[in-house]
Amino acid sequence: MDRRTSLKWVLTAAATLPLGRFAPLAGAKDASEAKPYGFDPNLIEIHHPGELWPLTLTPEQRKSATVLCDTIIPADDSSPSASAVGVVDFIDEWVSAPYEHQRADRKIVLDGLAWIDAEAHRRFAKPLAALGEDQRHRICDDICYAPTAKAEYADAAKFFARFRDLVAGGFYTTPQGRKDLQYVGNVPLKQFDGPPPEVLKKVGLA
C-alpha cells in the first residue's frame, strides 16, 4: 500500500468525525449564560469569501496553510491537491467564524502556523512555503502522530492533528474528494423501478 493510499484511509476516518458545532448556546445551562453573536447566516444562498465575517488568515499564513494542506493531501493521478479544491479557503472561513468551537480552532491554527513557520526558519533558514518536499516532511514527521511525538513537540502535534482533520473534512466533502473515495451516494437515479423481487420475497412482501 503506497503512502497516499494509507493517508487516504487515515484521513477518511478523520473526516467522518464531527468538525464542530455551530450552536450558539453550546455548553450553556440557560440562555442567560450565552454571549450572543447575532443571527446565523442564510446558508441556502451562495456567499463569497469574507462576506459572512472578516477572514482571519494573512497572505503569509495562507502560503503556509497551502503548503501544509498539500503536504497532507498532495495531488496524484486520481485527484487534485487539497489547496486546488479550496481547502485553504474553507479553513480560513472556519477559523474566522464567530462560534465557540471555531474560535478555539482559530487559536490552535494560528499558533500552529506560527510555530511551523518558525521551525522552518530554525532548521533551514527559510519559511515553510520555501522548503523542499523532503524538508517539509522532516518537520511534519516529528509532529504527525501525537502519541509518539517528543515532549517538545506536544503542542505542535496537537495543532497538526487538528489541522489534518480540517484538511480531510474540507477535501473529502468536495466533489473531487468524494470521487477520490469512490463514494457513490447522493447520486440521483434516472428512474426507480421499486425494490428487486428477491428483496420483496425475502421480507415477505412478494
Side-chain angles (χ1 to χ4, degrees):
M1 182 180 294
D2 61 29
R3 177 178 175 272
R4 181 180 173 86
T5 301
S6 301
L7 184 61
K8 185 189 303 182
W9 283 107
V10 172
L11 295 179
T12 301
T16 63
L17 299 176
L19 287 175
R21 297 192 299 267
F22 284 90
L25 303 182
K29 294 180 181 179
D30 56 61
S32 63
E33 295 184 13
K35 295 181 179 180
Y37 47 72
F39 294 100
D40 286 332
N42 184 351
L43 299 180
I44 302 300
E45 297 180 0
I46 296 176
H47 299 279
H48 300 289
E51 184 178 344
L52 298 179
W53 36 67
L55 298 181
T56 298
L57 298 184
T58 66
E60 291 304 313
Q61 289 169 332
R62 287 182 66 90
K63 288 180 182 179
S64 297
T66 297
V67 168
L68 192 54
C69 282
D70 292 350
T71 300
I72 294 171
I73 302 185
D76 68 357
D77 293 337
S78 65
S79 66
S81 66
S83 69
V85 296
V87 171
V88 176
D89 293 330
F90 161 72
I91 291 176
D92 199 359
E93 288 280 358
W94 181 270
V95 301
S96 302
Y99 308 102
E100 176 185 358
H101 289 268
Q102 283 68 29
R103 291 199 306 267
D105 282 344
R106 183 185 311 160
K107 177 173 174 54
I108 293 172
V109 169
L110 295 185
D111 288 353
L113 290 176
W115 178 90
I116 201 167
D117 204 49
E119 186 70 4
H121 277 285
R122 187 184 71 80
R123 296 193 192 191
F124 307 110
K126 297 179 182 179
L128 181 70
L131 298 186
E133 181 178 0
D134 180 67
Q135 292 173 323
R136 296 197 306 271
H137 286 177
R138 286 165 64 182
I139 295 176
C140 291
D141 285 347
D142 286 337
I143 62 175
C144 66
Y145 188 54
T148 59
K150 295 180 180 178
E152 62 191 286
Y153 298 131
D155 289 340
K158 292 177 182 177
F159 151 71
F160 191 87
R162 187 63 187 131
F163 193 86
R164 180 177 54 208
D165 286 352
L166 291 172
V167 172
F171 181 80
Y172 286 113
T173 51
T174 65
Q176 298 90 336
R178 292 195 297 271
K179 182 179 179 181
D180 193 40
L181 287 175
Q182 301 181 29
Y183 177 70
V184 295
N186 297 335
V187 177
L189 300 175
K190 293 183 179 180
Q191 66 180 46
F192 179 62
D193 298 324
E198 58 269 24
V199 173
L200 293 175
K201 183 177 180 180
K202 187 172 183 178
V203 297
L205 297 177

